[in-house]
Amino acid sequence: MYSRREFLGQAALVTSSMLLNPSAAAYTARNKPFLGMEGPQTDYRLLDGGIPEALDLVREKAKLNYVFPFVYAYNRNYLVAWPPNQKYYKDTCIKMEYDKKFFGPADYLGRLCQEADKRSMQVGATLFPCKGITPGLKRLVNYESILEVDISGERTGSVCFNNPDFKAHYFGMLRDLFENYPVIGSMYGSEEGGPLFRLLKHRKKPTCFCQHCLNYAKDSNIDAARARKGFKELIELFGRGTRGGAENVQELPDYERLPRPLDGFFVEFLRIVMRYPDVLSWNHMWHQHQLNLQKEMWRVIKSIDDTRLVGNHLWHRGLFDPLMRAEEDYKELLGYTDFFRPAVFSHAAGSRYLENVSALAQTIFGDLTLEETNTVMYRLLGYSNQGTVEQIKNQRFGIDYVKAELNRALGNVQGRAKIFAGVAAGHYTDWSDKTAQPQQVIEDIRAAAESGVDGILMGTAKPELYNAIGEGLKSVGWI
């Protein structure tokens, strides 16, 4: 294991111009891999099994040195894993309190850091300000005031990252966390897509049209009225009579199709976005708000301690969508992140990939059959053929998929940020009862090592598969 300072200290020497320009900073691979695990199973296990016992299992069986539990997350049954110091939130109406009923009276994060230190382990912070109106989000006082506004003027279930009160709260939370706890760093994740993604996949009304975003659009020369008109035409084209991407891949053969327009769905889609380019600008603006948040996170955390790591999780479902790929470019965060963690959960890949295939086959690829869309998507995403729709419903993707995603990440960063593979060893097949098997866990770790990544930051890991994780790490010489 290596410390925060050793992590950055092993970087190649940089010139003074690089120090002045964060985007020029470069990190080189090191021989000692990063071996860690994210939640949710980590934090659930830590709660249910007791912190000392759970850390012993992770360290002794899985042979991992780092745990990254969800310490601030809207998609949990809690919001924050430490007692907030209210002085950090005086500039915002958004307040939060520690859930003693969930964690008990003791400082959960503080105790976790203490117990980890006794075992020569370190704790990172997974931060997930996403996932709609969930139990975690509802624990924010005045959360309604920071929700996005849709095209009809109604509040939605997602937070607006451009809202000043949200940003004041969020950056206050970062200072509260990093000034008071010895966490090695953060991993940010926002498992939500922009307005086009949500319209095409879930038939949700486009966002965000709050006053803050309207002002931002005006300053950026984006015409809100034309964006609205374009979105409404897309809703008219794709929104009637369909339910969006399949909520259960078992239903895929019965997915609903609209009557084909005279010139076809794809041509009509292009016609609308060419006539109303502000639709694409509005979609890009949504992603720009998230990018701005990520860059400011870097500045806030590094101003507190420049040895703390700042990392970004790449959403599993997002990696299967061309629109998300186009917007979430690795290169845009270079200089503002120490590592990327692409999620490559092979045994959940089939069901999640098919969600996107189904959505696209009912919208912009509506001129094609579901199977034809499947074939096209393999080519667009750079994957080898993983099988027909029927074959991949309940089966894992092969290790060539894992290597393809990790090689794409490595090729994009060119050594200027580290890549930690987000392989998984847990119950992540959303629509079936299949779980990861020991041999698959070992194969995925081997694929990650063969790709040349800088380590792993596991996703959900079931304790009964910890031995397989350790065996996989041993087989590639990482322990």
Side-chain angles (χ1 to χ4, degrees), residues 76 155 204 224 273:
R76 306 290 118 186
R155 291 284 182 182
K204 290 186 177 180
V273 297

Side-chain angles (χ1 to χ4, degrees), residues 58-77:
V58 172
R59 186 73 183 91
E60 295 171 9
K61 290 190 174 183
K63 308 298 183 183
L64 301 174
N65 303 319
Y66 305 92
V67 290
F68 272 68
F70 288 87
V71 300
Y72 176 90
Y74 299 169
N75 60 336
R76 306 290 118 186
N77 289 320

